[in-house]
Amino acid sequence: DTGVSQNPRHKITKRGQNVTFRCDPISEHNRLYWYRQTLGQGPEFLTYFQNEAQLEKSRLLSDRFSAERPKGSFSTLEIQRTEQGDSAMYLCASSLDPGLAGGPPGANVLTFGAGSRLTVL
Amino acid sequence: AQKITQTQPGMFVQEKEAVTLDCTYDTSDPSYGLFWYKQPSSGEMIFLIYQGSYDQQNATEGRYSLNFQKARKSANLVISASQLGDSAMYFCAMRGINTGGFKTIFGAGTRLFVKA
């Protein structure tokens, strides 16, 4: 497995346009996360999937943001009517349920992709 | 609410010396996991080390060790024998097992500079 893959790596768009990012997790991982990271800050949680079910969404995720994970495999994050404040690195991570991985319950180790950098002009 | 605090925006260390990166956390969850991740300039976050809240011993992974002081709610990362390739951003992170939901939260990070 080549790890977590994210596309596109860079996206420049004009304010008001829609953008979509794709994440392909490690194939055996059942958990998938989206984070947003702005310059000089740590990643901020956006949303989480267990298999195909979206189980948690941050209040950061306004109604312009939507994420899907059809069939529990790849995931997409769509931002509608982009704003300049949406400019950030969007990180995807996946993990295997610690119970399935044979580790302690808290050891939910995330494997991150390289991220998709969004610039909104 | 859960929170991670990293008070050192930047740290310098001489090559081959040890360095400690500070992390304090706040949670009401009695059961939680603590993590450190490294983010090089290439951008990809890399897992370094994990400590469970009920673990009796401090975690170690090669040159990395986690100085876990539960009563003080601190989880400092110690890097021994620093190498030039250790220059990167380092993030402390936490997941509350009972009340934290499914998310891992991160601190603001510390940028480490290793000098030759």
Side-chain angles (χ1 to χ4, degrees), chain B residues 21-101:
Chain B
L21 306 183
D22 294 342
C23 172
T24 58
Y25 60 91
D26 190 20
T27 181
S28 57
D29 201 319
S31 185
Y32 49 90
L34 295 159
F35 307 80
W36 278 90
Y37 287 83
K38 173 184 179 181
Q39 188 175 41
S41 55
S42 60
E44 195 158 333
M45 301 273 284
I46 303 166
F47 165 73
L48 296 178
I49 195 167
Y50 163 80
Q51 177 85 43
S53 59
Y54 288 111
D55 292 343
Q56 296 297 314
Q57 292 187 321
N58 287 344
T60 60
E61 288 286 348
R63 294 186 298 111
Y64 305 108
S65 60
L66 199 152
N67 183 2
F68 179 46
Q69 297 187 47
K70 193 171 183 177
R72 299 177 66 178
K73 293 189 174 180
S74 74
N76 298 341
L77 177 70
V78 180
I79 305 174
S80 62
S82 296
Q83 302 172 356
L84 295 177
D86 293 335
S87 294
M89 282 290 289
Y90 288 82
F91 293 96
C92 181
M94 176 177 67
R95 175 178 173 249
I97 296 170
N98 296 324
T99 63

Side-chain angles (χ1 to χ4, degrees), chain A residues 45-49 54-63 65-67, chain B residues 102-103:
Chain A
F45 171 80
L46 293 179
T47 190
Y48 158 82
F49 291 85
Q54 188 174 21
L55 296 184
E56 191 170 351
K57 290 172 61 173
S58 165
R59 281 172 285 182
L60 293 174
L61 217 62
S62 75
D63 55 4
F65 288 71
S66 63
Chain B
F102 302 99
K103 60 181 176 287

Side-chain angles (χ1 to χ4, degrees), chain A residues 97-107:
Chain A
D97 189 312
L100 298 176

Side-chain angles (χ1 to χ4, degrees), chain A residues 16-113:
Chain A
Q17 298 295 305
N18 299 343
V19 296
T20 299
F21 300 113
R22 176 179 170 127
C23 172
D24 288 89
I26 291 174
S27 56
E28 61 265 30
H29 284 184
N30 58 334
R31 299 181 175 186
L32 187 147
Y33 305 77
W34 285 98
Y35 283 83
R36 181 172 68 190
Q37 187 178 23
T38 52
L39 198 62
Q41 298 297 315
E44 297 174 295
F45 171 80
L46 293 179
T47 190
Y48 158 82
F49 291 85
Q50 179 145 325
N51 300 312
E52 66 275 10
Q54 188 174 21
L55 296 184
E56 191 170 351
K57 290 172 61 173
S58 165
R59 281 172 285 182
L60 293 174
L61 217 62
S62 75
D63 55 4
R64 297 185 298 105
F65 288 71
S66 63
E68 294 182 342
R69 193 185 182 196
K71 303 178 183 178
S73 56
F74 71 92
S75 175
T76 58
L77 176 68
E78 181 184 17
I79 309 173
Q80 296 182 327
R81 304 181 304 281
T82 52
E83 302 173 354
Q84 288 184 326
D86 297 331
S87 295
M89 178 76 85
Y90 290 85
L91 299 171
C92 177
S94 68
S95 71
L96 184 63
D97 189 312
L100 298 176
N108 187 46
V109 175
L110 304 178
T111 301
F112 282 85

